[in-house]
């Protein structure tokens, strides 16, 4: 138990960011028309692709002879990129229908 | 110096995520919002890539190239109608990514336990509490790894099943089995118990077996979590799993003390949860009702037809967006328009829409209103140009190409029962085929039956959205929303 408390107080700044981000997320979404639900979900989906940063860190820190970490890291970067790139491209395609007409 | 620039880049990326998400909530700015978020992502990736502690650049670039090519090609090629399963697939990839990161980090951590002296480099990123020799796994670092593993795995397998249901390679029916809720609850408790066992493992043996069991059971839980939910509810499930993946990504933020992963992940976690609830509300259901299955049995099988008695309401804002971004709108007036004396406001709405480039026509049923020609007289009085009023035979072939039909206080003349239900008193009466249009918005005072006193299944049609209220009030609200767009 102690070590968990230590973990929290060691990461106090991160905990603050965590709490504030929760509120920002709620505020940002509060009033959204139903036709935008799917594109918004898709856009948010692309944003959590930020997990790719973790994947790059895994690969970037792996020792050159640590094939386990290198191989899994490679897989993770591919998966994360799929999430990011695919997510943003799909969202953009969905939003084409909201293009302004003249 | 470089580290400061990287920190600033992370900050900028976080801000771009927030602004992007905000802009995604409005039709006019949505596309820009998506691009802003993408720029933020590019910044975050670039900053991580050039960080002094990052090695193996070639391999990373190669992996990014592989993912980018597959991602772009599949996202470009997918049909518009198959978008939801594509989103689900990409979401699953993010979840899998988080799970893989957890596996690597767990193994690396276990390695430091076994051989404390050798891998000093890892300690920099490990957040071990001092003096925890008795319980080397009982700390925040391992907890975050386990959370990332569980949530990421559930999100991955759940997303793949959801994708399967949408695509059709997994049955879209709600799969139920005896004691289904009990098995899922037991499995979830089991997951937590195993996670606890890993945390309190002693320093004598690294709990590899338990960790792998946790991985496998998490995957299983994702499958069993989604299987009992009908195909029609998959968008809600995908949205929920989307927010799960956000939380899994945020775990990585704690793991690496990385603020952009934390803000990005948590932002999606909380925004995704709110969005999920909004989606349920738009279907007139609660989240619990969607996840646990509904008790009324109304639309339990997902694609119920005649038994489906869900009425979907629409807000004036949503209705206005649908019409403003349509190519062709057909207004079908009925007695309700006459009663409310709403013809002038109707013409104003028409003009506003035309100003936005929308083609607006009127579909006039011969017996709409209480006398033949009732609607023509009414609309002519409001100076609606005569060529825009189309008779039933002229307008009916057009409906399949109409984006939005706005039914104003008409009922029997758009009742599909006249075509299909031989028992109906109005069977055989020619009607306006509004059910062939892409979207139907019905302005109506209440769910009461029309002049002929019979139910109208059109009101329960999945394409139909109801806007309740006096025709004039509703039209005024619509007009105000269209103007503000």
């Amino acid at each position: 138990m102690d070590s968990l408390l230590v973990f929290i107080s060691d990461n106090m700044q991160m905990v603050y960011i965590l709490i504030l981000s929760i509120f920002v997320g709620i505020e940002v979404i509060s009033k959204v028309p139903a036709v935008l639900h799917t594109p918004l979900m898709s856009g948010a989906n692309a944003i959590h692709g930020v997990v790719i940063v973790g994947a790059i860190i895994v690969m970037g820190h792996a020792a050159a002879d640590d094939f386990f970490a290198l191989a899994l890291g490679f897989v993770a970067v591919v998966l994360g990129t799929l999430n990011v790139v695919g997510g943003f491209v799909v969202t953009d395609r969905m939003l084409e229908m909201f293009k302004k007409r003249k | 110096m470089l580290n400061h620039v990287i920190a600033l880049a992370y900050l900028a990326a976080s801000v771009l995520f927030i602004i992007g998400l905000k802009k995604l909530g409005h039709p006019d700015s949505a596309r820009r919002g998506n691009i802003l978020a993408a720029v933020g992502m590019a910044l975050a990736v670039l900053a991580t890539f050039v960080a002094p502690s990052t090695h193996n650049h070639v391999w990373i670039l190669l992996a990014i190239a592989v993912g980018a090519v597959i991602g772009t090609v599949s996202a470009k090629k997918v049909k518009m109608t198959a978008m939801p399963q594509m989103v689900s697939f990409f979401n699953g990839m993010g979840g899998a990514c988080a799970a893989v990161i957890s596996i690597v980090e767990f193994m690396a951590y276990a390695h430091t336990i076994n051989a404390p002296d050798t891998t000093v480099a890892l300690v920099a990123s490990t957040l071990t509490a001092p003096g925890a020799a008795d319980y080397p796994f009982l700390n925040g670092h391992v907890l975050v790894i386990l959370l990332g593993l569980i949530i990421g795995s559930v999100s991955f397998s759940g997303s793949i099943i959801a994708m399967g249901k949408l695509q059709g390679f997994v049955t879209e029916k709600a799969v139920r089995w005896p004691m289904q809720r009990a098995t899922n609850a037991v499995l979830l408790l089991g997951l937590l118990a195993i996670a606890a066992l890993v945390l309190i493992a002693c320093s004598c043996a690294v709990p590899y077996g338990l960790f792998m069991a946790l991985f496998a059971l998490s995957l299983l839980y994702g499958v069993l979590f989604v299987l009992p939910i009908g195909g029609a509810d998959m968008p809600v499930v995908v949205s929920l799993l989307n927010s799960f993946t956000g939380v899994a990504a945020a775990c990585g933020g704690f793991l690496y003390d990385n603020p952009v992963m934390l803000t990005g992940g948590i932002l999606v976690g909380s925004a995704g949860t709110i969005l999920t609830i909004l989606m349920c509300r738009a279907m007139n259901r609660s989240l619990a009702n969607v996840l646990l299955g509904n008790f009324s049995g109304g639309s339990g099988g997902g694609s119920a037809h005649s038994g489906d008695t869900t009425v979907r309401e629409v807000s004036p804002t949503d209705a206005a967006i649908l019409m403003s971004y349509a190519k062709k709108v057909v207004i079908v007036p009925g007695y309700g328009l006459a009663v409310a004396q709403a013809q002038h406001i109707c013409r104003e709405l028409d003009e506003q829409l035309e100003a936005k480039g929308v083609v607006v026509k009127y579909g006039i049923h011969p017996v709409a209103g209480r006398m033949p020609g009732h609607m023509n007289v009414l609309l002519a009085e409001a100076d609606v140009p005569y060529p825009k009023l189309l008779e039933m035979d002229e307008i009916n072939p057009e409906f399949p190409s109409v984006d939005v039909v706005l039914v104003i206080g008409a009922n029997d003349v758009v009742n599909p029962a006249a075509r299909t239900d031989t028992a109906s008193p109005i069977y055989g009466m020619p009607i306006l085929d509004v059910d062939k249009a892409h979207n139907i918005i019905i302005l109506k005072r209440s769910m009461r039956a029309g002049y002929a006193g019979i139910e109208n299944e059109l009101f329960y049609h999945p394409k139909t959205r109801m806007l309740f209220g006096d025709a004039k009030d509703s039209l005024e609200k619509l007009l105000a929303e269209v103007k503000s767009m």
Side-chain angles (χ1 to χ4, degrees):
Chain A
M1 204 62 227
D2 272 0
S3 51
L4 290 183
L5 283 177
V6 172
F7 177 75
I8 290 176
S9 61
D10 278 354
N11 290 279
M12 215 43 183
Q13 254 186 328
M14 296 293 268
V15 174
Y16 269 96
I17 297 178
L18 170 92
I19 305 289
L20 293 176
S21 296
I22 292 176
F23 283 104
V24 171
I26 294 171
E27 278 308 306
V28 159
I29 297 301
S30 56
K31 188 172 176 271
V32 174
V35 281
L36 280 175
H37 284 173
T38 308
L40 185 62
M41 171 172 86
S42 181
N45 171 47
I47 291 176
H48 70 49
V50 73
V51 70
I52 190 191
V53 166
I56 295 177
I57 295 176
V58 163
M59 256 203 116
H61 288 197
D65 60 345
D66 186 354
F67 295 111
F68 173 77
L70 276 179
L72 281 189
F74 189 84
V75 172
V77 175
V78 171
L79 294 173
T81 315
L82 266 176
N83 186 177
V84 170
V85 176
F88 282 122
V89 174
V90 158
T91 312
D92 193 59
R93 278 195 59 197
M94 282 184 201
L95 292 171
E96 272 171 17
M97 62 183 261
F98 289 108
K99 231 186 263 170
K100 272 275 166 209
R101 268 185 317 256
K102 271 292 140 229
Chain B
M1 173 64 190
L2 183 57
N3 278 326
H4 296 299
V5 177
I6 290 172
L8 276 180
Y10 280 160
L11 178 65
S14 301
V15 173
L16 284 170
F17 287 164
I18 296 171
I19 298 175
L21 207 52
K22 176 87 192 160
K23 284 190 182 293
L24 270 166
H26 299 278
D28 280 343
S29 58
R31 218 164 170 206
R32 229 175 317 133
N34 186 48
I35 290 167
L36 282 181
V39 170
M41 189 66 71
L43 262 182
V45 168
L46 194 67
T48 317
F49 187 74
V50 300
S53 54
T54 302
H55 306 287
N56 305 316
H57 290 99
V58 179
W59 286 109
I60 295 174
L61 273 184
L62 191 65
I64 290 180
V66 170
V69 168
I70 302 176
T72 312
V73 170
S74 46
K76 286 263 184 203
K77 277 179 85 174
V78 66
K79 286 203 195 78
M80 241 6 201
T81 47
M83 288 291 183
Q85 45 268 54
M86 206 68 226
V87 175
S88 190
F89 171 75
F90 291 136
N91 181 48
M93 293 306 103
C97 181
V100 171
I101 291 174
S102 281
I103 294 173
V104 176
E105 288 303 323
F106 185 82
M107 295 308 167
Y109 181 76
H111 201 65
T112 59
I113 299 292
N114 273 350
D117 315 320
T118 48
T119 27
V120 187
L122 273 162
V123 178
S125 70
T126 33
L127 306 151
T128 29
D134 297 341
Y135 295 112
F137 291 94
L138 186 58
N139 55 54
H141 184 70
V142 178
L143 180 69
V144 168
I145 290 178
L146 295 184
L147 277 179
L149 177 80
I150 296 174
I151 302 171
S153 308
V154 169
S155 183
F156 168 66
S157 59
S159 295
I160 297 305
I161 297 294
M163 176 195 175
K165 281 184 176 248
L166 288 164
Q167 187 73 37
F169 64 78
V170 175
T171 172
E172 63 164 348
K173 287 216 180 71
V175 180
R176 300 278 161 80
W177 55 91
M179 312 262 286
Q180 164 228 324
R181 273 183 226 174
T183 25
N184 279 10
V186 167
L187 186 55
L188 187 58
L189 286 178
L191 278 177
L192 297 179
I194 295 176
L197 283 179
V198 174
L199 284 174
I200 60 168
C202 69
S203 50
C204 45
V206 177
Y208 289 116
L210 284 174
F211 185 79
M212 280 304 147
L214 195 61
F215 180 41
L217 287 180
S218 300
L219 291 175
L220 179 66
Y221 184 75
V223 174
L224 298 187
F225 175 71
V226 178
L227 269 184
I229 304 169
D233 289 332
M234 276 311 118
V236 175
V237 173
V238 176
S239 174
L240 187 68
L241 293 174
N242 185 34
S243 63
F244 281 10
T245 313
V247 176
C251 288
F254 270 105
L255 204 54
Y256 299 117
D257 217 358
N258 185 301
V260 77
M261 285 182 81
L262 185 65
T263 41
I266 287 297
L267 204 58
V268 176
S270 71
T273 309
I274 297 296
L275 184 61
T276 311
I277 294 169
L278 285 180
M279 287 168 92
C280 291
R281 217 176 277 162
M283 298 196 307
N284 214 358
R285 311 206 10 218
S286 72
L287 182 57
N289 181 278
V290 170
L291 295 183
L292 299 176
N294 53 353
F295 315 105
S296 60
S299 56
S303 55
H305 295 289
S306 54
D308 189 353
T309 53
T310 317
V311 171
R312 297 164 189 81
E313 278 193 65
V314 67
S315 69
T317 322
D318 280 332
I321 289 174
L322 269 180
M323 291 195 292
S324 301
Y325 290 91
K327 286 198 187 68
K328 199 199 271 185
V329 172
V330 168
I331 298 177
V332 174
Y335 187 57
L337 181 83
V339 175
Q341 286 293 308
Q343 62 273 29
H344 293 280
I345 196 101
C346 180
R347 192 210 65 221
E348 265 190 76
L349 179 68
D350 170 352
E351 283 169 354
Q352 283 293 329
L353 289 174
E354 294 247 302
K356 287 182 191 292
V358 184
V359 176
V360 183
K361 292 179 180 175
Y362 294 78
I364 313 291
H365 191 278
V367 300
R370 287 293 179 268
M371 58 181 187
H374 194 173
M375 292 300 126
N376 304 56
V377 173
L378 209 61
L379 292 170
E381 191 231 338
D383 293 328
V384 175
Y386 197 72
K388 295 180 86 168
L389 311 185
L390 298 184
E391 297 294 331
M392 181 169 63
D393 296 337
E394 293 172 272
I395 196 79
N396 265 349
E398 285 198 36
F399 278 117
S401 68
V402 170
D403 300 297
V404 183
V405 168
L406 182 67
V407 178
I408 307 174
N411 188 345
D412 298 328
V413 297
V414 293
N415 192 340
R419 276 200 319 255
T420 54
D421 183 4
T422 48
S424 172
I426 59 167
Y427 178 70
M429 176 176 95
I431 58 155
L432 292 164
D433 299 329
V434 298
D435 53 332
K436 301 213 167 98
H438 299 302
N439 293 284
I440 307 152
I441 300 171
I442 299 182
L443 305 190
K444 207 173 176 320
R445 265 174 302 184
S446 67
M447 282 304 291
R448 277 212 314 270
Y451 189 59
I454 46 176
E455 275 284 342
N456 192 341
E457 66 182 71
L458 184 69
F459 301 159
Y460 308 107
H461 198 286
K463 286 194 287 195
T464 301
R465 297 287 179 273
M466 306 292 289
L467 182 55
F468 289 114
D470 174 77
K472 197 170 184 178
D473 284 349
S474 298
L475 280 174
E476 270 166 1
K477 284 181 200 149
L478 275 179
L479 182 62
E481 292 288 350
V482 169
K483 269 185 183 164
S484 72
M485 226 154 269

